Amino acid sequence: MRKVVLITGASSGVGLALCRRLLEEDHELHLCLACRNMSKAEAVRTALLASHPTAEVSTVQVDVSSLPSVFQASKELKQRFQRFDYVYLNAGIMPNPQLNIKALFCGLFSRKAIHIFSTAEGVLTQSEKITADGLQEVFETNVFGHFILIRELESLLCHSDSPSQLIWTSSRNAVKSNFSLEDIQHSKGQEPYSSSKYAIDLLSVALNKNFNQRGLYSSVACPGTVLTNLTYGILSPFVWSLIMPIIWLLRFFANAFTLTPYNGTEALVWLFHQKPESLNPLLKYLSATTGFGSNYVTSKKIDLDEDTAEKFYQNLLELEKDIRVTIQKTKNQS
């Protein structure tokens, strides 16, 4: 029986590389590409089937920054599938990134230089907008849209006889100090990307606590520093090419510089082969690359407490409840 894998953000970057690598691991998979741009998704589908003709590849349109889109996609998926073995929650944004040059230079001459260079902690800010749903854009895209997708697909994920696995694309940039339970959408801060990735870590831990007994497991992974459209928003491709010799040198001291989407998927593919019940829910699994270019997987304990994770989960449930009430009122009035 074919394993069924749903991947959000599958048409480019890490998501596309993940599709290719998963089919290299198991050419009998059914991949469902959940993408915003359907023309790109169909082009990827055609290319994947050309290289792996025994696989099944389908597409579904979903924009995780739009709840109506998430609800519609969920409805379609429940009509087309009986279960998902894996869901890779990979889609994400980092809008209008700005480097704090002063903080960067101060950091480069400190003991934390390599850490700052490989995580961008404290030196990267973003400005964002409010979505049509009235939510902060980064929060809705990276966290809440995926949360609603999971909630809508529970019947396809919770099977105690055969576990399903959620695998989130998190980040080494997920910093506890950038997240607050009093402002889960990070509307008052300047580092919404970091906050959203820490929120993903919290949510994964809470999902394990609430769903493991029902056969659903959750893990978080970090692809490392990968050169994609996301990172090209921070520095232009030309600037990245100029500093590449420095990055190659730093690889001998820090393993986070995976650089290519293929390398960045190492931990995501490794998780595909693990029994989810054997994994530690308090660990983040990291794609890593040595100075000589060899890929491997390492792990790091997530800097959180489980009470905060559960409180955040309950906050999401309350937000979901409020939104569903609003949607129902709108329907009744129309």
Side-chain angles (χ1 to χ4, degrees):
M1 188 175 182
R2 292 179 188 265
K3 292 181 179 178
V4 184
V5 183
L6 177 68
I7 304 175
T8 68
S11 62
S12 63
V14 169
L16 175 56
L18 177 63
C19 291
R20 291 168 174 163
R21 287 199 64 179
L22 289 179
L23 289 179
E24 289 172 5
E25 299 290 322
D26 184 348
H27 58 272
E28 295 291 335
L29 285 179
H30 184 141
L31 290 186
C32 182
L33 317 179
C35 304
R36 181 174 53 183
N37 187 318
M38 288 306 287
S39 61
K40 287 184 178 180
E42 289 299 334
V44 169
R45 176 180 179 274
T46 300
L48 291 174
L49 287 174
S51 57
H52 301 278
T54 60
E56 289 187 9
V57 182
S58 59
T59 61
V60 65
Q61 185 169 28
V62 62
D63 179 354
V64 285
S65 69
S66 167
L67 294 182
S69 175
V70 174
F71 287 129
Q72 178 59 36
S74 301
K75 181 180 178 181
E76 291 182 25
L77 291 170
K78 284 185 284 189
Q79 291 172 345
R80 289 159 51 184
F81 296 96
Q82 294 183 327
R83 66 168 286 129
F84 287 114
D85 297 283
Y86 303 88
V87 177
Y88 282 91
L89 303 150
N90 169 71
I93 59 168
M94 183 196 294
N96 307 310
Q98 299 290 326
L99 274 177
N100 185 326
I101 302 299
K102 181 180 178 180
L104 177 62
F105 274 96
C106 289
L108 290 179
F109 293 99
S110 71
R111 294 180 179 179
K112 297 178 66 178
I114 293 178
H115 173 78
I116 290 172
F117 207 88
S118 59
T119 66
E121 182 178 333
V123 301
L124 196 60
T125 62
Q126 304 92 42
S127 58
E128 57 173 333
K129 62 184 180 181
I130 303 297
T131 68
D133 300 313
L135 302 172
Q136 295 293 132
E137 182 184 24
V138 175
F139 169 78
E140 181 167 10
T141 305
N142 295 2
V143 186
F144 194 66
H146 283 123
F147 172 72
I148 294 299
L149 182 65
I150 294 166
R151 294 278 291 160
E152 289 291 299
L153 297 180
E154 275 187 26
S155 62
L156 277 63
L157 295 169
C158 297
H159 300 276
S160 56
D161 58 321
S162 180
S164 293
Q165 191 170 4
L166 305 175
I167 302 172
W168 298 81
T169 300
S170 182
S171 173
R172 289 170 171 84
N173 186 245
V175 181
K176 184 177 183 179
S177 60
N178 287 329
F179 177 85
S180 170
L181 281 174
E182 284 67 49
D183 182 21
I184 63 172
Q185 297 190 48
H186 202 72
S187 59
K188 300 174 183 177
Q190 292 185 304
E191 298 187 55
Y193 181 80
S194 174
S195 176
S196 72
K197 293 302 181 178
Y198 187 78
I200 284 173
D201 295 349
L202 290 171
L203 179 54
S204 181
V205 169
L207 288 171
N208 280 308
K209 178 181 178 181
N210 288 276
F211 285 92
N212 280 179
Q213 290 185 340
R214 296 172 60 186
L216 179 61
Y217 293 80
S218 181
S219 299
V220 288
C222 171
T225 301
V226 178
L227 299 185
T228 64
N229 292 334
L230 206 69
T231 45
Y232 288 145
I234 303 170
L235 297 172
S236 69
F238 176 71
V239 175
W240 280 110
S241 66
L242 289 179
I243 64 174
M244 195 56 65
I246 300 173
I247 293 177
W248 284 106
L249 179 62
L250 285 173
R251 264 185 165 182
F252 288 94
F253 305 95
N255 58 21
F257 296 102
T258 50
L259 299 183
T260 69
Y262 181 95
N263 294 347
T265 62
E266 192 72 18
L268 298 164
V269 174
W270 181 83
L271 285 166
F272 174 78
H273 293 291
Q274 308 309 306
K275 291 184 178 180
E277 58 270 28
S278 69
L279 297 169
N280 186 337
L282 299 178
L283 291 181
K284 180 181 294 185
Y285 297 93
L286 314 173
S287 297
T289 304
T290 69
F292 295 103
S294 299
N295 297 323
Y296 64 102
V297 177
T298 184
S299 62
K300 178 183 179 182
K301 190 176 187 302
I302 304 171
D303 182 20
L304 56 72
D305 64 82
E306 295 182 59
D307 287 342
T308 301
E310 183 61 25
K311 288 177 182 176
F312 174 60
Y313 176 66
Q314 294 302 324
N315 284 350
L316 290 182
L317 291 176
E318 283 298 318
L319 180 57
E320 177 194 2
K321 180 180 177 182
D322 292 342
I323 286 174
R324 290 185 186 276
V325 168
T326 301
I327 292 173
Q328 190 59 48
K329 286 182 178 179
T330 303
K331 287 182 178 179
N332 293 339
Q333 292 171 356
S334 61

